[in-house]
Amino acid sequence: MRAPGGPLPPSLCHPRAACRSDGGVARGDHGGLHGGTEGPLVWARVMAGLRLEEEVDGEQGTLGLVTRVSGSLRRPLTPACPTAPATTPTSLLQVFPRGPVPRMDVSPEHTEQGGGLVLVRRQPPAPRGLLETLKARLQRNCTCSAQGAGALVQDLLPATRWLHQYHPREDLAGDVMSGLVIGIILVPQAIAYSLLAGLQPIYSLYTSFFANLIYFLMGTSRHVSVGIFSLLCLMLGQVVDRELLLAGFNPAQDGPGPWDNGSTLNASAAMLALGLQGCGRDCYAIRVATALTLVAGIYQVLMGVLQLGFVSAYLSQPLLDGFAMGASVTILTSQLRHLLGVRVPRHQGPGMVVSTWLSLLRSAGQANLCDVLTSTVCLSVLLAAKELSDRFRHRLKVPLPTELLVILVATLASHFGQFHERFGSSVAGDIPTGFMAPQVPDPRLMWRVALDAVPLALVGSAFSISLAEMFARSHGYSVRANQELLAVGCCNVLPAFFHCFATSAALAKSLVKTATGCHTQLSSVVSAAVVLLVLLALAPLFRDLQRSVLACVIVASLRGALRKVRDVPQLWRLSPADALVWVATAATCVLVSTEAGLLVGVLLSLLSLAGRMQRPHAALLARIGDSGFYEDAQEFEGLVPEPGVRVFRFAGPLYYANKDFFLRSLYSLTGLDAGREAARRKEKGSETGVSEEDPVEGKELGPVSSSAVLVPTAAGFHAVVIDCAPLLFLDMAGMATLRDLRRDYEALGITLLLACCSPGVREALQRGGFLGEDQGDMAEEGQLFHSVHSAVQAAQACHRELAAADSTL
């Protein structure tokens, strides 16, 4: 007991409540009672005769629940002390913060003994076996009912869920406007991006039409625009060029020009429609593209079925930005030959960008003057219009359709000026109308490109999910990552039978979609209608469009990705590791290949994550004045170290990869290599512990963290408290490390206590046998504490009892 007004003895402090010097309950302290000064402050004092006093500070008068258990406690408070009694005849105060009172299970035997309530931890249900779990899941998923079938249809086709709740008065105008604008932008971009894929423009229009309709039915995002994406077109075009070379075709002959007068689109389309085996270059190119698209779509659908939507989260934002930057440089390089109107070979393999630049420099004297002048004018107009749109985007309700206007004017100029006949300028050529008969992709080609489809599927799914989540957060709704994988995968699987190629969500068109008042995916139907109009009637009008103009549209769209290089200095200041991932990914994409850049970025991101987990921050904590809070003694000034107690914080998980770093950090900061000292004592046969006056040889371990500084070589402490609040998880190696550390400290007469353990860590300690044979609350008492301050007080009380026992003897 204590005198009235004096502090509570440490043995009366509940593990969740940190005792203050005035007898109150300290809030906070990493697992203690948080809340600061707001709301009622409930605290209790034990007076003579086990009387409870309650004081309330607040206006609402809400009392915390205070329960008293008279008689002996069921478990020892400080079993870490060898001389501490197993039970203590006192009262246990259990203080809960205000709010809804949690449901408690009452132990009948203790209510009979003391007449009070005992808080008993709820026991988890007994785990079911593997066979029982599989049987329950099969029974739940395979049970057929009308309600279950309807829910399954609504999950697979989210449009059936929100269409009957559609509000035409509020949403129809914005959806129609955004759909028209996206359709107008989509047509010239689709025709232009066919250059990247090495395909004819008609296939790009097919792709845009089917992708918009399928995502309208299956997508969960209201604002994402799914269609042709420049990065995917580049990756697909590289595979198409490689297969064309292996088949004996010339990838450089990608359309009618001054050097190509033999092949026409109509002949290739006719052979493809008839299903002839010996088709020409264009026929073989689309077969390769559809085979690659089908395999990539199957990968994405399987990821969605297997609930692997979280995989895209491992493609970090610096990785994606660096990949976009490197791929943009590659795209720019591939379009320079169209801008200049020169005939250079399409290089393949590592170093494609460097080889292309060298070929362009050697062929610069053969540039087509008409194409150069057209490219200069069109590119200047497009870049100036984009700059003005960015500056006045808040005033413009509808973005300017600059690409469409440039294409229309350039087409008229090329048609009436006869640029192709007079100057030899390369043009788009004949674009047929209507749809071709569906065709199954070639299985042999699917096997050939199965490995190439992996990066294509990963990049498409990563950009689609990240964009969907970004727009969902900004507009206050949620999306399902796995359903997004299914939607994007079906946008690749189903259209692959209709001569389409890979698609995903695109940032530029999605931003335009939101800026023009889009509310739902009904706008995608309007965009598909615009593309359908071009497919059925307007496609032949673009016959005389110069390829240099299409290249200008592609290069102008890279402006945003190329400008990301300005973010590297700020990224370096924030995180050098992320900046390294960005630079390495971009450089590898440019110097080697886009696939290699993606692989290097993923590996570096995983290594960066592993490095941060392997060498987290470690520090010794000290007390903040008279409070129950503890912080890093090297980071803050004026902190008071606890005499005889070392409080250690390890800000990361404890597992097989960092267990040695954990020990090095602890030994370096405390100045005592417990493992080596315990082994030395064992060799000498000494059974005495380390006193505060015995000098101990320290071990020079070098700098282990930003705050790791060697303390004096004398031990100078009798207890070590590990703050486990940042400890995310433990594995078998981490558990063995803690057991060995406790054994070594016990050999030296030092107590090891753990504080602020999360439920997962506490459960791991129980399963791993760290708490002993008992698996209940009794095993935790005296070893695990709910706050650092309560652990420190328990260690001080144990040391005082030992000192008192020694003085008595």
Side-chain angles (χ1 to χ4, degrees), residues 331-592:
I331 293 172
L332 174 63
T333 302
S334 67
Q335 296 307 302
L336 286 177
R337 65 190 187 98
H338 297 293
L339 294 176
L340 301 177
V342 296
R343 183 182 181 182
V344 295
R346 300 183 68 168
H347 298 277
Q348 292 291 316
M352 184 268 291
V353 174
V354 178
S355 301
T356 304
W357 275 97
L358 293 177
S359 299
L360 288 171
L361 291 177
R362 286 194 295 264
S363 305
Q366 304 173 5
N368 189 302
L369 184 60
C370 179
D371 287 336
V372 172
L373 293 177
T374 304
S375 301
T376 303
V377 174
C378 294
L379 198 57
S380 301
V381 172
L382 289 172
L383 292 178
K386 286 184 177 293
E387 188 68 26
L388 292 176
S389 297
D390 290 344
R391 292 188 178 184
F392 301 101
R393 61 180 180 272
H394 300 293
R395 300 182 182 180
L396 295 175
K397 296 183 179 180
V398 178
L400 297 176
T402 312
E403 292 90 347
L404 183 62
L405 295 177
V406 169
I407 285 180
L408 290 178
V409 174
T411 302
L412 293 175
S414 177
H415 175 72
F416 291 105
Q418 298 181 351
F419 292 165
H420 175 56
E421 292 79 6
R422 296 173 58 185
F423 305 106
S425 182
S426 177
V427 296
D430 294 328
I431 303 177
T433 57
F435 291 90
M436 299 179 184
Q439 187 177 23
V440 179
D442 191 348
R444 292 172 298 178
L445 289 175
M446 292 173 61
W447 282 109
R448 290 176 60 91
V449 299
L451 189 60
D452 299 302
V454 174
L456 198 72
L458 288 178
V459 172
S461 59
F463 275 98
S464 298
I465 293 177
S466 60
L467 288 180
E469 292 178 346
M470 181 184 72
F471 285 104
R473 286 192 301 268
S474 60
H475 290 84
Y477 62 93
S478 60
V479 295
R480 290 179 288 150
N482 295 313
Q483 179 62 26
E484 286 295 309
L485 281 175
L486 287 175
V488 176
C490 290
C491 287
N492 289 325
V493 171
L494 299 179
F497 295 88
F498 296 90
H499 316 292
C500 303
F501 53 90
T503 59
S504 72
L507 176 61
K509 290 190 287 291
S510 299
L511 292 174
V512 173
K513 202 171 186 179
T514 57
T516 52
C518 172
H519 296 284
T520 67
Q521 280 297 333
L522 190 64
S523 61
S524 298
V525 179
V526 181
S527 300
V530 175
V531 177
L532 180 63
L533 178 63
V534 176
L535 277 171
L536 296 180
L538 304 180
L541 299 179
F542 297 98
R543 180 187 182 280
D544 293 326
L545 177 61
Q546 293 173 267
R547 288 183 176 268
S548 59
V549 178
L550 298 177
C552 291
V553 174
I554 295 174
V555 172
S557 66
L558 303 176
R559 172 174 163 269
L562 294 175
R563 293 173 65 178
K564 288 183 180 294
V565 71
R566 300 184 302 182
D567 300 335
V568 175
Q570 181 180 3
L571 184 61
W572 177 265
R573 291 191 294 268
L574 294 176
S575 174
D578 290 339
L580 178 62
V581 170
W582 194 103
V583 173
T585 303
T588 308
C589 286
V590 173
L591 300 178
V592 184

Side-chain angles (χ1 to χ4, degrees), residues 38 67 112 245 285 326 372 397 492 644:
E38 299 179 0
T67 62
E112 293 177 1
L245 284 174
V372 172
K397 296 183 179 180
N492 289 325

